[in-house]
Amino acid sequence: MSGVQDVRPAGETQLIFEPVLDIAGVRYLYSKLDGALTGAKALVLDASRVQRIDTAALQLLAAFC
């Protein structure tokens, strides 16, 4: 499982996080966050389904913000 789903409706980029964000998916999450920065669209981070997050994923999100 990648940990994040990338949805791109008109005018924005949505990153919808899976229930588990852990070190196994951090590299993929990094690539999605990096790709979102290169676009000129609004960015929406949807963490409503997250049930468990480890330190590596949390650190990446904190650095991104």
Side-chain angles (χ1 to χ4, degrees):
M1 196 171 246
S2 65
V4 64
Q5 177 184 5
D6 186 357
V7 180
R8 297 181 183 261
E12 69 181 24
T13 297
Q14 294 181 358
L15 297 180
I16 303 169
F17 301 129
E18 298 293 327
V20 176
L21 290 177
D22 59 14
I23 197 166
V26 166
R27 183 171 293 201
Y28 182 76
L29 176 58
Y30 176 85
S31 70
K32 289 298 181 181
L33 291 171
D34 187 48
L37 285 178
T38 60
K41 297 179 177 184
L43 177 61
V44 176
L45 302 177
D46 182 353
S48 62
R49 298 189 309 164
V50 174
Q51 296 175 1
R52 185 172 58 88
I53 185 169
D54 72 2
T55 306
L58 188 58
Q59 183 178 7
L60 176 61
L61 289 173
F64 178 75
C65 291

